[in-house]
Structures are given as structure tokens and as C-alpha cells.
Amino acid sequence: MKMADYWRFFGDRINKAIQYYIMSAASFPEYYQAWFHLGCCYVQTGDYTRALDAFWNVKYILKRRQRAAVLRPMEVIYLYKSYCCSGYIQYHYFREIDKAILEDVTAECIWDEIEQSQFYKIMDDSEHYMKQMIKKQLHIGKLYRVIYKLANQVGDVSLAEEYHKKIRFMLQSNMSKGF
């Protein structure tokens, strides 16, 4: 994985990085981080079908922990981003707006599930702080705007209105907090 990261971020040889991410995933098939970064590399090379497959693997690997409500913070981030990336690919490269909406709405569900996660119970006093930090990193407002835009494109008025309300509520709550 470290060699793959080197070639991707410093060596500027994406195909070499892909080889190492594949080796990492083959050595440890549950290595969701390797699958995620492999998907990102495939996006960079324009191989969107393989990118979707790699992001699907992240979702599959973490599904069991998600159902048990015990995703760790890093797992939440990778799972959320896998759904967002899949939605982005479905919309921008395959023009599958309905599939993009489904991926993005599922990403929102991942964000919502942070509050129900049993993982944070072991954090004692820092449980609330940790949840807020993870949520802040995931930029849910940006996702709301994407879903709102996609819903308008497919003519789903009720979905568009639902996300328009969420955007307004978020903006109002941020204004009341002084952001």
C-alpha cells in the first residue's frame, strides 16, 4: 500500500500505483482503503467501470460493520466517500442520474448513521466531539446540493423540495451559530 501511495502521490505513475493497490487488495481482500484508492486511480485513468467495481468492494467490505452500527471513524469516511464517488461517476460519466441519486442518498444515510454508531460508546466523554468532527469532515451540505440538483434534473419535485428544505435548515442553523 505504501508503494502504491508513493507512485500515486509522489512518483506520478498512476499505472504503477494501480499495480501496487491491486497487490495490496489481493493480499488482504478486506483492505477497504486499498480498494478505495484503487477506485480513485481508475477514475484518474478514465476506467470508470473498474472504479465503480473498486468502490463497490469498499461498500461490500464495510456493510457488515455498518449493519451492526460499529463503523469506526475511518471506515465511515471511506464508506461515505465511496458512495459519493460512485454517485459522481454514475452522473458525470454514465449519465445514470437515478443511480447517482441512489448512491448520494445512501451516502447521506451513512452520515446520518454516525449518531447511532455504537463504536463511539467506548469514547466516554469525547463521544459527542468525535461524532461532530467526523460529520464536519464529510461536508453534508455539498451532498445535499448535489442531490437537490439531480432531483431537479430528473423532475422529482418532492425529492428536490426535501433537499431544498435541508439546505435551508442547514444554512439557518449555521447562521444562528455564527458561522
Side-chain angles (χ1 to χ4, degrees), residues 45-91:
T45 63
D47 193 342
Y48 304 112
T49 300
R50 283 194 175 139
L52 285 175
D53 290 343
F55 294 132
W56 181 88
N57 281 324
V58 175
K59 298 176 220 175
Y60 180 79
I61 291 165
L62 295 176
K63 184 176 286 197
R64 200 173 43 247
R65 292 183 60 78
Q66 179 193 5
R67 279 196 218 126
V70 292
L71 286 172
R72 295 176 291 227
M74 188 65 69
E75 293 168 337
V76 169
I77 291 169
Y78 277 92
L79 187 57
Y80 176 88
K81 288 182 176 182
S82 292
Y83 278 105
C84 289
C85 289
S86 295
Y88 183 86
I89 292 168
Q90 290 291 3
Y91 174 70

Side-chain angles (χ1 to χ4, degrees), residues 143-152 160-161 163-164 167:
L143 184 63
Y144 288 166
R145 289 187 293 279
V146 167
I147 296 171
Y148 172 72
K149 175 184 150 190
L150 295 175
N152 276 321
E161 181 58 30
Y163 281 88
H164 189 253
I167 292 167

Side-chain angles (χ1 to χ4, degrees), residues 149-160:
K149 175 184 150 190
L150 295 175
N152 276 321
Q153 283 189 353
V154 295
D156 190 332
V157 176
S158 63
L159 186 64

Side-chain angles (χ1 to χ4, degrees), residues 10-63:
F10 306 109
D12 201 28
R13 291 187 53 201
I14 202 72
N15 289 327
K16 195 83 162 162
I18 288 172
Q19 290 175 342
Y20 280 104
Y21 285 127
I22 289 171
M23 288 177 10
S24 295
S27 297
F28 183 54
E30 298 286 308
Y31 200 175
Y32 62 89
Q33 293 153 318
W35 286 111
F36 178 83
H37 291 292
L38 179 61
C40 293
C41 286
Y42 282 137
V43 168
Q44 284 182 265
T45 63
D47 193 342
Y48 304 112
T49 300
R50 283 194 175 139
L52 285 175
D53 290 343
F55 294 132
W56 181 88
N57 281 324
V58 175
K59 298 176 220 175
Y60 180 79
I61 291 165
L62 295 176
K63 184 176 286 197

Side-chain angles (χ1 to χ4, degrees), residues 114-151:
I114 292 170
E115 287 301 322
Q116 284 75 44
S117 178
Q118 299 302 304
F119 173 80
Y120 300 97
K121 298 292 181 204
I122 63 172
M123 305 303 272
D124 295 327
D125 296 337
S126 60
E127 175 183 353
H128 178 74
Y129 173 77
M130 287 293 294
K131 287 179 179 179
Q132 295 311 308
M133 292 306 296
I134 297 300
K135 284 182 164 187
K136 193 179 277 190
Q137 286 183 31
L138 298 179
H139 309 290
I140 194 69
K142 182 178 177 183
L143 184 63
Y144 288 166
R145 289 187 293 279
V146 167
I147 296 171
Y148 172 72
K149 175 184 150 190
L150 295 175

